[in-house]
Amino acid sequence: MTGRTREEQLAETFVSLADTLVADYDVVELLHTLVQRCAEILGAADAGILLPDHGGNLEVIASTSERSRLISLLQLSSGEGPCVDAYETGKVVSVDDIAATSARWPRFATQAAGLGYHSMYAIPMRLRDQTIGSLNLFSDGAGPTDPQDAAAAKALADIATIGILHERAIREADVAREQLQHALNSRVIIEQAKGVIAHTDGVDMEEAFQRLRTRARNSGQLLSIVARDVVESASRH
């Protein structure tokens, strides 16, 4: 992207990322692309993204280098640092001089200095009242973050948030569709089993359903499984 203005690079990045937000896209690949573009466009030494796992524990999901991955992991293991604070507070954490943070984050300050980082900018990945992670920029030089870079970083964090929530919505919709189809399939087999019992026992459909439920309760099995056994047994005779 050399030779382009920051605005042109950002526009190209947004278009590129928007093109990936389709069914079956790889959210991890999206986030790795995003952190690489962040570092390139904003002139950061490195960038990374932290997201919580199913248990609510933060994990490094994407990083531009092993160095940035390591400092992120060190923050997670010690429970302190800008990345952690941005996620926990839902607010931007700007660190102009990491060396001056030893009182606030003693372990982080020492570890970051050892890895050559001197400033940081951590942006919460947030939608309304929900914070789902943090986008983190690392710099080898001290000093404040340029306001235009800060605005661009916020926009990139927003598109990362949209990408993650979009992927989750697709996954949850797929689960919901599978559950609905399973329910429909189960209902069909249950109706068939009711017909079998009504015919073999000489009872009406309501009584047949009660007998089917009783079998399921007595056997400790799902109603749909008992129904399938009834139908399959009848087909063998």
Side-chain angles (χ1 to χ4, degrees), residues 51-198:
L51 296 178
D53 61 18
H54 292 299
N57 300 308
L58 284 176
E59 300 283 351
V60 181
I61 193 68
S63 58
T64 53
S65 71
E66 280 302 308
R67 183 168 64 135
S68 62
R69 180 175 178 273
L70 179 57
I71 191 59
S72 298
L73 290 172
L74 291 171
Q75 289 183 71
L76 297 182
S77 64
S78 63
E80 66 173 46
C83 302
V84 176
D85 275 22
Y87 172 71
E88 291 183 344
T89 66
K91 297 179 181 178
V92 169
V93 179
S94 181
V95 181
D96 299 348
D97 183 4
I98 289 175
T101 67
S102 56
R104 182 177 181 182
W105 304 306
R107 294 181 63 185
F108 165 72
T110 300
Q111 293 159 348
L115 290 170
Y117 293 126
H118 295 285
S119 62
M120 258 205 71
Y121 195 73
I123 311 101
M125 295 166 62
R126 184 178 176 86
L127 181 66
R128 300 185 182 91
D129 295 330
Q130 181 184 13
T131 302
I132 65 167
S134 65
L135 170 63
N136 310 293
L137 306 178
F138 306 87
S139 177
D140 291 340
T145 300
D146 180 272
Q148 289 187 331
D149 285 346
K154 174 63 167 60
L156 291 166
D158 287 345
I159 198 170
T161 303
I162 292 169
I164 293 166
L165 294 177
H166 180 53
E167 189 271 343
R168 288 180 184 175
I170 291 173
R171 181 157 28 91
E172 290 169 1
D174 287 342
V175 170
R177 280 194 294 271
E178 290 175 5
Q179 290 174 336
L180 176 59
Q181 189 58 52
H182 176 72
L184 293 173
N185 293 342
S186 296
R187 192 65 201 172
V188 169
I189 199 70
I190 288 169
E191 291 300 320
Q192 292 174 347
K194 283 166 58 179
V196 169
I197 294 172

